[in-house]
Amino acid sequence: MAPRANWKGFLRLSLVTCPVALYQATSESEKISFNQLNRQTGHRIKYLKVDADTGDEVQNEDIVKGYMLEKDQFIEVTKEELDEIALESTRTIEIDEFVEKSEIDPRYLIRPYYLRPDGKVGHDAFAVIRETIREMNKVAIGRVVLTNRDHIIALEAMDKGLVGTLLRYPYEVRSEEEYFDEIQDVKVTKDMLDLAKHIVNQKSGRFEPDKFEDQYETALIDLINQKRAGKPITPKERPRGENVVDLMEALRRSVGREAETVPATAPKKSTKKSRKTTTGQKEMLMPIAGKKLVTLPPRLNPD
């Protein structure tokens, strides 16, 4: 089944326009999720909306939004009033300018989306916009209305499509000064820096997401499988951290340790694409009484 688009509209560069669809590029639905239960009965916990003072349950039709001026003093805002000021989507991502990717502060990045042509028409125009962005090695900046709010979106070419990343507004980004002001000014000696650089060179590689494992997700799956099998759960001994007394000595020991872990000759990469098991999509194997071994999905659906 084809994924469902989060938004459909048009992508426009000056007079060149094409219909496009927007899809979420990331998902956390594969992660293990939990329900809250009553320890005594094993039943799920149900949440009710109640009046904070009277404790009485309040129906949805009697609930309005409120902006708190100060404690216990609110300005009520109705759904109709919010609808009046909601931005009406033009259903168009208008490219306003092109910038260097290095100029976009990573703190402004929110979440990525995939853009592709919507339907059978407009592929030519889409390809022109995509290849222009690719050839110019720029990021296209535009605007899109999602859920009645205006968002800045940065577009980059990826394979046959585009990746659009929503950006934050300046007022959403906190200044680093209040966090960094109290960091002490430390003079780093050349010897320390040379040793640290040597460690970096020994550990240098390419960014390959497939080799990273979500160890917590793996541990959760193992824990659930052990509990389903009725096995006792024994806490593991946690490693203790050590205080660094002699920084120079710690750097020297680090260089030696890294040298021992680096293989003499790096193995050649296979040209064949192997299917890697991504953590979070790990199969949970558990025999059920009276049945053969079955494969369970990694995510435990609430219902």
Side-chain angles (χ1 to χ4, degrees):
M1 183 181 295
R4 181 180 178 182
N6 294 83
W7 179 92
K8 289 188 176 184
F10 297 89
L11 176 63
R12 179 183 298 157
L13 173 60
S14 189
L15 298 179
V16 180
T17 305
C18 61
V20 293
L22 198 70
Y23 303 84
Q24 283 190 350
T26 59
S27 171
E28 295 192 355
S29 62
E30 295 295 328
K31 289 186 174 182
I32 296 289
S33 61
F34 293 100
N35 292 297
Q36 291 187 325
L37 307 177
N38 182 338
R39 185 194 297 272
Q40 303 299 326
T41 65
H43 300 159
R44 288 180 60 190
I45 299 297
K46 181 180 179 181
Y47 288 92
L48 301 176
K49 296 178 180 179
V50 299
D51 188 297
D53 290 337
T54 67
D56 297 332
E57 184 177 354
V58 183
Q59 301 302 316
N60 286 335
E61 59 268 21
D62 295 324
I63 298 176
V64 297
K65 295 182 182 296
Y67 176 80
M68 186 169 67
L69 294 176
E70 54 187 65
K71 187 177 179 181
D72 297 330
Q73 184 178 356
F74 299 87
I75 293 180
E76 291 186 6
V77 181
T78 66
K79 181 180 181 301
E80 291 73 24
E81 290 169 335
L82 290 174
D83 289 341
E84 282 294 317
I85 65 168
L87 293 174
E88 184 175 348
S89 175
T90 60
R91 311 304 293 177
T92 301
I93 300 176
E94 184 88 40
I95 297 177
D96 297 322
E97 60 180 342
F98 293 85
V99 302
E100 298 289 342
K101 185 176 181 178
S102 60
E103 295 179 356
I104 301 178
D105 189 322
R107 293 176 296 177
Y108 284 80
L109 306 178
I110 302 179
R111 77 179 68 89
Y113 289 86
Y114 293 135
L115 267 79
R116 73 179 189 190
D118 184 30
K120 298 181 179 180
V121 298
H123 285 251
D124 291 345
F126 183 87
V128 169
I129 297 173
R130 179 196 65 214
E131 292 309 307
T132 301
I133 295 173
R134 194 195 309 275
E135 290 296 321
M136 296 296 292
N137 197 25
K138 299 274 190 178
V139 176
I141 303 296
R143 288 179 175 272
V144 60
V145 175
L146 297 172
T147 60
N148 298 330
R149 279 185 174 270
D150 195 24
H151 296 272
I152 307 169
I153 189 167
L155 303 173
E156 300 176 72
M158 174 181 279
D159 195 21
K160 296 191 294 183
L162 292 170
V163 172
T165 304
L166 296 188
L167 303 180
R168 294 183 173 89
Y169 287 99
Y171 72 86
E172 297 178 282
V173 178
R174 293 175 176 175
S175 171
E176 73 282 0
E177 293 178 359
E178 58 182 306
Y179 303 97
F180 295 167
D181 276 353
E182 295 181 5
I183 297 178
Q184 298 178 11
D185 293 325
V186 177
K187 177 66 176 178
V188 180
T189 66
K190 183 179 183 302
D191 289 342
M192 287 185 177
L193 201 56
D194 287 342
L195 283 172
K197 287 180 179 178
H198 190 65
I199 296 171
V200 172
N201 288 331
Q202 289 177 316
K203 297 177 76 69
S204 293
R206 295 179 60 86
F207 178 66
E208 299 175 12
D210 285 345
K211 69 183 180 183
F212 296 109
E213 180 183 359
D214 187 342
Q215 297 181 9
Y216 181 70
E217 188 77 4
T218 300
L220 277 178
I221 293 173
D222 292 340
L223 172 64
I224 292 170
N225 276 335
Q226 289 183 53
K227 291 183 74 70
R228 289 189 64 185
K231 296 180 179 179
I233 306 300
T234 55
K236 297 179 181 179
E237 186 176 348
R238 296 183 179 272
R240 296 180 180 180
E242 297 179 1
N243 292 328
V244 176
V245 178
D246 188 335
L247 184 56
M248 238 355 232
E249 179 60 24
L251 286 168
R252 289 195 186 98
R253 289 170 59 188
S254 297
V255 169
R257 187 178 67 175
E258 294 303 327
E260 293 175 359
T261 59
V262 176
T265 56
K268 293 183 179 179
K269 289 186 177 181
S270 172
T271 55
K272 295 182 180 180
K273 292 184 178 180
S274 60
R275 182 181 180 272
K276 296 186 178 181
T277 302
T278 304
T279 306
Q281 297 176 337
K282 179 179 177 182
E283 292 179 343
M284 296 173 63
L285 301 178
M286 180 63 59
I288 296 178
K291 296 185 179 180
K292 295 181 180 179
L293 190 68
V294 295
T295 301
L296 299 178
R299 182 169 183 264
L300 302 181
N301 293 321
D303 276 317

